[in-house]
């Protein structure tokens, strides 16, 4: 069984805005490896977006959400590719991932992480812990299916 704790904690540190812990975790993962990061982040994004899917009822709502997210990041060193972010959110409501074919997998992971920052911030510490336990379970399931 794979230990996904470092990936899950990376998400927690991102959501909590703990820049120091996030940098330390990235350094740890640089040494250990990032092998299953895509699966874990993908599972987290899938679950978080599905829980909020009513927010993404149509393209206009998705565009507004991405614009709001980008505006909140204005004073950070991060930026979100709006076209990729919109395609990711649309895919969670339609199940159609064809629009993401040909998009760099690293850009998808980066976009999912930045969207997770916004999607998960409203959660309490306990809610985030329960959410990450769900992510771990879904990640394990997805890893077995690969």
């Amino acid at each position: 069984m794979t230990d996904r704790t470092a990936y899950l904690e990376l998400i927690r540190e991102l959501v909590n805005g703990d820049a120091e812990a996030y940098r330390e975790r990235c350094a740890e993962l640089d040494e250990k490896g990032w092998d299953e990061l895509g699966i874990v982040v993908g599972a987290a994004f899938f679950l978080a977006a599905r829980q909020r899917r009513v927010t993404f009822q149509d393209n206009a709502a998705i565009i507004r959400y991405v614009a709001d997210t980008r505006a909140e990041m204005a004073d950070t060193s991060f930026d979100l590719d709006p076209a990729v972010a919109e395609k990711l959110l649309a895919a969670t409501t339609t199940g159609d991932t064809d629009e993401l074919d040909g998009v760099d997998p690293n850009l998808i992971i980066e976009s999912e992480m930045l969207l997770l920052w916004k999607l998960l911030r409203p959660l309490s510490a306990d809610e985030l812990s329960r959410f990450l336990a769900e992510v771990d379970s879904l990640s394990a399931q997805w890893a077995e299916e690969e």
Side-chain angles (χ1 to χ4, degrees), residues 20-132:
E20 181 66 25
Y22 185 84
R23 279 191 293 277
E24 289 174 13
R25 183 82 54 201
C26 286
E28 173 191 329
L29 287 167
D30 282 342
E31 290 179 21
K32 179 181 166 185
W34 295 83
D35 297 339
E36 287 195 27
L37 178 69
I39 291 174
V40 174
V41 171
F45 178 74
F46 173 80
L47 290 172
R50 295 292 292 222
Q51 288 174 356
R52 300 274 306 271
R53 89 179 127 215
V54 81
T55 305
F56 313 121
Q57 294 177 12
D58 56 31
N59 283 339
I62 290 171
I63 290 167
R64 277 192 303 276
Y65 191 85
V66 170
D68 289 346
T69 303
R70 293 184 77 218
E72 290 179 33
M73 292 178 182
D75 294 333
T76 70
S77 61
F78 299 105
D79 193 17
L80 185 60
D81 181 313
V84 173
E86 290 164 10
K87 289 175 186 176
L88 283 165
L89 290 171
T92 65
T93 60
T94 65
D96 182 7
T97 59
D98 290 345
E99 291 287 320
L100 294 165
D101 289 348
V103 177
D104 178 0
N106 291 324
L107 181 56
I108 289 175
I109 294 170
E110 178 183 322
S111 299
E112 288 173 334
M113 286 288 283
L114 294 173
L115 287 166
L116 281 170
W117 170 76
K118 172 130 171 131
L119 288 164
L120 300 178
R121 274 195 345 223
L123 299 182
S124 69
D126 287 342
E127 290 169 327
L128 183 58
S129 291
R130 284 191 298 276
F131 175 81
L132 292 174

